[in-house]
Amino acid sequence: MTATTFFSLLDVLGTFAFGLSGALVAIRRRLDIFGILVLAAATGTAGGIVRDLLLGDVPPEVLRTIWPLAVTSLAGLCAFFFGPVIDRLTRPVMLLDAAGLGVFAVAGCNKALAAGLEWPGAVLLGMITAIGGGVLRDIMAAEVPRVLHEEVYALAALAGAAAYATCVAFGLTGAWAAGGAVLLAFAIRVASVRYGWTLPRAGRD
Amino acid sequence: MTATTFFSLLDVLGTFAFGLSGALVAIRRRLDIFGILVLAAATGTAGGIVRDLLLGDVPPEVLRTIWPLAVTSLAGLCAFFFGPVIDRLTRPVMLLDAAGLGVFAVAGCNKALAAGLEWPGAVLLGMITAIGGGVLRDIMAAEVPRVLHEEVYALAALAGAAAYATCVAFGLTGAWAAGGAVLLAFAIRVASVRYGWTLPRAGRD
Amino acid sequence: MTATTFFSLLDVLGTFAFGLSGALVAIRRRLDIFGILVLAAATGTAGGIVRDLLLGDVPPEVLRTIWPLAVTSLAGLCAFFFGPVIDRLTRPVMLLDAAGLGVFAVAGCNKALAAGLEWPGAVLLGMITAIGGGVLRDIMAAEVPRVLHEEVYALAALAGAAAYATCVAFGLTGAWAAGGAVLLAFAIRVASVRYGWTLPRAGRD
């Protein structure tokens, strides 16, 4: 398996994971099958759409290829038919989601660097790409975005994007740098869930 | 009346209908007259703005011409002065809204095809154009977007856009194809309300 | 101090004020430090990002320079460490916010005119720039945007942008026109809070 195939596979997995999370929120809100498919599509593709809009790469990729919607529709159907099962599979879903978070952060950062952005902007864009889908999902469900109150979520994406940008600054491009950065974001996210890491809150007693 | 005049008229009607729906939500939320005008404008123009952003046609049309805001402001004033009356006119308002849904779906799809998108992307963009305004309206009112839980709403827009793209693929461009596609979306939407069509929900007993 | 320095200073102050308002909402919602920084950044920069997207100036300025995020992060840290104090300083925060509102309205209108928009579109874009950050802040906090129900907020931004566009139409460009327009928006906003100005609501007894 070449590096490109490997990364395309990760990209598909990430889109699937985000689509699944959107579909599960839709089911919890008692939406019908079409609402489930729409929220799965919005969650799985919004990050990439915002990334492409901010980089001026329009029409965005999701409107030019068919696979992202095919993948999110599959995720929506899985959630529709196996919802109760998937709800019990919290750990695999969380792992998928963490993988998607890392992939999207690094891919967004990579695309931004290729478009000529400096590293601070590129790292920021990577984070926006990674969290954009989840933010839209929660806004459409009329909830405070989970990324704002879930511990160490956006921070993991930021770390992955920053690690990749650092590698590139030192001349380390290509699959190894990207893979390592994805792994870093993944590891931080999974460890934070596993060990219950928290960040400080403002004292308001 | 030429075909172009006919479609411009439909476009104005659709913008008015969506503006009206935004204004009615604003009144139910007890907003003042300026909040009503702002929500009417957001609802009536957001679909077109998102469409133009995604196609890279910037600044979007609504910033370059004056009539969309004039129309949504008129809708806002109507709702302000005749709100209780309009609330009782649920049927005409629903018919207007269904017409707007069809017009925006077909017009968005048409513009996307003209910009060189393939049909899957063009159909998707048509649907986004048609539902974008309503989604923003409900998000700004801190509600779950009606399109997600209202039966057969986005689906009607999708059907209209898909019918139009199919016609174009078979070489049928122009007013007849567009008119038929608008009528299809309109008919599906109205019939779904009239006969209470529903889509399946995920079983969660 | 030259006019350009003066306006850059105002721009920084406006970004800081909006960042602070986002951070205070995040603290009220009991978000952790990273959530506070994210909401401060979103509130302080969203207006400018939307403005740049609508004008096709991509990647937007905030991704190309480092100071906006530095300023919103500083605002977030201030709110984190001195939250209870700042909450008591409602008047200075409101004044800062009103200044930011005026600066962003005029700067947005100015950039739109420079990009070749006619005055109605430019005034509208100025208003969107000024209120965009606050709208995103409240949507992410799952609240009805304050701009929709707070009396004379968007209207003050609109007045400032319109005054500037009028000056430009009469050949008065430059710092005096801009300064006067900012002052007008600021004065309207502050007076409306001071004297409790309200706009009519739709009668619904």
Side-chain angles (χ1 to χ4, degrees):
Chain A
M1 198 195 300
T2 68
T4 317
T5 318
F6 177 64
F7 275 94
S8 299
L9 186 67
L10 278 183
D11 200 4
V12 171
L13 274 180
T15 304
F16 185 83
F18 282 167
L20 207 57
S21 79
L24 291 174
V25 168
I27 289 175
R28 209 178 330 118
R29 288 265 164 181
R30 305 281 310 141
L31 302 182
D32 63 39
I33 175 69
F34 199 72
I36 294 170
L37 293 179
V38 169
L39 201 56
T43 309
T45 64
I49 290 177
V50 169
R51 177 198 63 204
D52 292 352
L53 275 181
L54 291 174
L55 292 176
D57 178 24
V58 288
E61 212 182 307
V62 69
L63 291 178
R64 281 180 283 134
T65 60
I66 193 75
W67 74 261
L69 278 187
V71 168
T72 61
S73 298
L74 185 66
L77 290 176
C78 284
F80 182 72
F81 288 112
F82 311 114
V85 180
I86 292 169
D87 253 7
R88 248 171 286 132
L89 299 174
T90 45
R91 165 154 293 184
V93 170
M94 188 273 283
L95 292 178
L96 262 182
D97 185 71
L101 190 74
V103 172
F104 284 172
V106 172
C109 180
N110 186 41
K111 187 164 184 175
L113 289 170
L117 277 184
E118 298 293 313
W119 69 265
V123 168
L124 184 63
L125 194 65
M127 193 186 84
I128 292 174
T129 307
I131 68 176
V135 169
L136 183 61
R137 176 197 63 211
D138 297 338
I139 285 178
M140 288 182 83
E143 290 170 4
V144 176
R146 221 177 286 174
V147 68
L148 287 179
H149 53 73
E150 202 159 310
E151 314 291 344
V152 194
Y153 191 89
L155 200 57
L158 193 68
Y164 182 71
T166 308
C167 289
V168 171
F170 283 98
L172 286 165
T173 54
W176 283 104
V182 170
L183 215 63
L184 178 71
F186 177 79
I188 293 178
R189 171 68 186 142
V190 171
S192 81
V193 172
R194 176 76 183 73
Y195 298 106
W197 291 349
T198 58
L199 295 172
R201 283 183 159 65
R204 266 302 189 72
D205 312 282
Chain B
M1 199 196 297
T2 70
T4 317
T5 318
F6 178 64
F7 275 94
S8 299
L9 185 67
L10 278 183
D11 200 4
V12 171
L13 274 180
T15 304
F16 185 84
F18 282 168
L20 206 56
S21 78
L24 291 174
V25 168
I27 290 175
R28 211 180 326 120
R29 289 265 164 182
R30 305 281 312 141
L31 302 181
D32 64 38
I33 176 68
F34 199 71
I36 293 170
L37 294 178
V38 169
L39 200 56
T43 309
T45 64
I49 291 177
V50 169
R51 178 198 62 205
D52 292 352
L53 276 180
L54 290 174
L55 292 176
D57 177 25
V58 289
E61 211 183 307
V62 68
L63 291 177
R64 282 179 283 134
T65 59
I66 194 76
W67 73 261
L69 277 188
V71 167
T72 62
S73 298
L74 184 66
L77 290 176
C78 284
F80 182 72
F81 287 113
F82 311 114
V85 180
I86 292 169
D87 254 6
R88 248 172 285 132
L89 299 174
T90 46
R91 163 152 295 182
V93 169
M94 188 274 281
L95 291 178
L96 262 182
D97 186 72
L101 189 74
V103 172
F104 284 173
V106 172
C109 180
N110 186 43
K111 188 165 184 175
L113 289 170
L117 276 184
E118 297 293 313
W119 69 264
V123 169
L124 184 63
L125 194 66
M127 193 186 83
I128 293 173
T129 307
I131 68 176
V135 169
L136 183 62
R137 175 197 62 210
D138 297 338
I139 287 178
M140 288 182 83
E143 290 170 5
V144 176
R146 221 177 286 174
V147 67
L148 287 180
H149 53 72
E150 202 158 311
E151 314 292 343
V152 194
Y153 191 89
L155 200 57
L158 193 68
Y164 183 70
T166 309
C167 288
V168 171
F170 282 99
L172 286 166
T173 53
W176 283 104
V182 169
L183 214 63
L184 179 70
F186 177 79
I188 293 179
R189 171 67 186 143
V190 171
S192 81
V193 172
R194 176 75 184 71
Y195 299 105
W197 291 349
T198 58
L199 295 172
R201 283 183 159 64
R204 267 301 190 70
D205 312 283
Chain C
M1 196 196 300
T2 68
T4 317
T5 318
F6 177 65
F7 275 94
S8 299
L9 185 67
L10 278 184
D11 200 4
V12 171
L13 274 181
T15 304
F16 185 84
F18 283 168
L20 206 57
S21 78
L24 291 175
V25 168
I27 290 175
R28 209 178 331 118
R29 288 264 164 181
R30 305 280 313 140
L31 301 182
D32 64 38
I33 175 68
F34 199 72
I36 294 170
L37 293 179
V38 169
L39 201 56
T43 309
T45 64
I49 290 177
V50 169
R51 178 198 61 205
D52 291 352
L53 276 180
L54 290 175
L55 292 176
D57 178 24
V58 288
E61 214 183 304
V62 69
L63 291 177
R64 280 179 285 136
T65 59
I66 194 75
W67 74 260
L69 278 187
V71 168
T72 61
S73 298
L74 184 67
L77 290 176
C78 285
F80 182 72
F81 288 113
F82 309 114
V85 179
I86 292 169
D87 253 7
R88 244 170 290 131
L89 298 174
T90 45
R91 163 152 295 184
V93 169
M94 188 274 281
L95 292 178
L96 261 182
D97 186 71
L101 189 74
V103 172
F104 284 172
V106 172
C109 180
N110 186 41
K111 187 163 183 177
L113 290 169
L117 276 184
E118 297 294 313
W119 70 265
V123 168
L124 184 63
L125 195 67
M127 193 187 83
I128 293 173
T129 307
I131 68 176
V135 169
L136 183 62
R137 174 198 63 211
D138 296 338
I139 285 179
M140 288 182 82
E143 290 169 5
V144 176
R146 219 177 289 173
V147 68
L148 287 180
H149 53 73
E150 202 159 311
E151 313 292 344
V152 194
Y153 191 89
L155 199 57
L158 192 69
Y164 183 70
T166 308
C167 288
V168 171
F170 283 97
L172 286 166
T173 55
W176 284 103
V182 170
L183 215 64
L184 178 70
F186 177 79
I188 292 179
R189 172 67 185 144
V190 172
S192 81
V193 173
R194 176 75 183 73
Y195 298 106
W197 291 349
T198 58
L199 294 173
R201 282 182 161 64
R204 268 299 190 74
D205 312 282

